[in-house]
Amino acid sequence: LLVQKFIQVNKGECQVVNLGAGFDTMFWRLKSSGDTPVRFVELDFPEVTAKKTHYIQRSKPLLQAISHDDYDVKLNRSNLHAFKYKLMGADLRVLPEVEAKLEESDIDYSLPTVFVAECVLVYMCTTKSSELLKWIAKKFKSAFFINYEMVNLGDRFGEVMLSNLRSRHCDLHGAAACATLLSQQERFVSEGWAGAEAADMMSVWERLPRSDVARVIKLEMLDENELLTQLFTHYCITMAWTDTRWTDITL
């Protein structure tokens, strides 16, 4: 919804960069709703983008949605270039690599650009994620960032969550920035962003239309309200902006 709002406010004259996109289908969902930006770029590790490229190539509906009469789809093992959609293999911890792949995707630094990261920055050490956020704020004329990940990791529930992940050999190297909603906001402001706002998922959940809440509860069979509250208060959405024009884009 936030990405849609950004595209609509800019009348489509903007870009979306999905960091650590995995197998996300956001581009196709936006395309089906008529909300397509000038450029939609996805970045992830080459081994991930190689699989996604393979799946897109083998799926006629996916391939048709990114095709254009005047633009040939170009692809190799881990990269795919279509008319508006670009899928690139890159390590987000290596800035020169990120910059090279974005420029290869014909990124326009002067266009309003929204960045999306869903449980991505938390897997990077804070030094590397800070470098990335600082570079974006400096490089792009007008940027908006939507970050979804953990929060409140300092309490007992958060400690157990981290312990369980470590037992599965999954270390959250960026956990320090996820201590509180304030630390989530400050990670952006300290790296040159004009402002930031963070909300835990419990407050987001409470803002949803009651019909949506009822649908999700039925779909997910959510009957443990206490557990639901614990989970939702340990994830958040943070919005940050370099341009004050985007402060109206809220949850």
Side-chain angles (χ1 to χ4, degrees):
L1 288 173
L2 289 170
V3 172
Q4 279 184 310
K5 284 183 181 180
F6 187 85
I7 294 171
Q8 289 164 5
V9 164
N10 287 287
K11 296 181 173 57
E13 291 299 313
C14 59
Q15 301 169 130
V16 178
V17 178
N18 197 344
L19 301 171
F23 300 101
D24 193 3
T25 57
M26 187 191 299
F27 174 82
W28 287 269
R29 285 179 282 127
L30 289 172
K31 179 79 181 286
S32 66
S33 67
D35 294 307
T36 52
V38 169
R39 195 167 289 103
F40 193 107
V41 183
E42 293 188 331
L43 298 177
D44 210 319
F45 287 119
E47 55 266 33
V48 176
T49 60
K51 289 180 181 178
K52 192 167 186 176
T53 297
H54 176 70
Y55 294 147
I56 293 170
Q57 194 176 3
R58 293 187 64 185
S59 170
K60 189 175 180 180
L62 294 181
L63 202 55
Q64 283 181 333
I66 63 172
S67 299
H68 189 275
D69 291 342
D70 300 324
Y71 193 99
D72 292 331
V73 175
K74 306 178 185 70
L75 51 87
N76 56 32
R77 186 177 177 277
S78 58
N79 301 316
L80 186 154
H81 287 262
F83 180 56
K84 290 190 174 185
Y85 175 77
K86 320 287 180 180
L87 174 63
M88 308 295 292
D91 187 335
L92 297 176
R93 298 167 297 183
V94 184
L95 272 181
E97 195 173 311
V98 172
E99 185 169 13
K101 291 295 183 177
L102 285 176
E103 292 184 357
E104 192 178 324
S105 301
D106 302 318
I107 205 77
D108 186 341
Y109 295 112
S110 67
L111 271 182
T113 304
V114 56
F115 290 82
V116 182
E118 299 180 79
C119 291
V120 173
L121 301 183
V122 70
Y123 289 100
M124 303 165 63
C125 72
T126 52
T127 301
K128 292 298 182 183
S129 61
S130 293
E131 286 176 358
L132 178 64
L133 296 179
K134 185 176 183 177
W135 178 81
I136 292 171
K138 183 178 179 181
K139 194 76 176 179
F140 286 79
K141 184 178 179 181
S142 182
F144 187 73
F145 204 110
I146 304 165
N147 186 43
Y148 169 75
E149 63 186 1
M150 300 80 164
V151 73
N152 296 325
L153 292 181
D155 64 13
R156 181 58 187 154
F157 186 91
E159 289 172 359
V160 172
M161 183 192 296
L162 288 173
S163 177
N164 288 338
L165 286 166
R166 288 193 200 100
S167 71
R168 295 176 174 85
H169 307 290
C170 184
D171 290 321
L172 301 183
H173 299 291
C178 305
T180 64
L181 291 175
L182 183 59
S183 67
Q184 283 281 13
Q185 293 171 182
E186 287 180 341
R187 78 188 310 182
F188 288 92
V189 176
S190 64
E191 298 303 338
W193 293 72
E197 176 191 350
D200 69 41
M201 296 310 294
M202 196 66 226
S203 67
V204 174
W205 176 251
E206 290 168 350
R207 297 179 212 179
L208 291 176
R210 292 302 90 189
S211 58
D212 277 359
V213 170
R215 178 180 58 82
V216 173
I217 287 175
K218 183 179 179 181
L219 184 70
E220 299 290 347
M221 295 182 285
L222 301 173
D223 54 1
E224 294 287 344
N225 286 329
E226 185 179 350
L227 178 59
L228 187 70
T229 300
Q230 285 182 319
L231 284 170
F232 281 1
T233 54
H234 287 85
Y235 283 85
C236 71
I237 288 181
T238 305
M239 297 167 291
W241 50 86
T242 60
D243 190 327
T244 53
R245 286 182 296 168
W246 314 135
T247 55
D248 291 336
I249 300 174
T250 57
L251 293 164

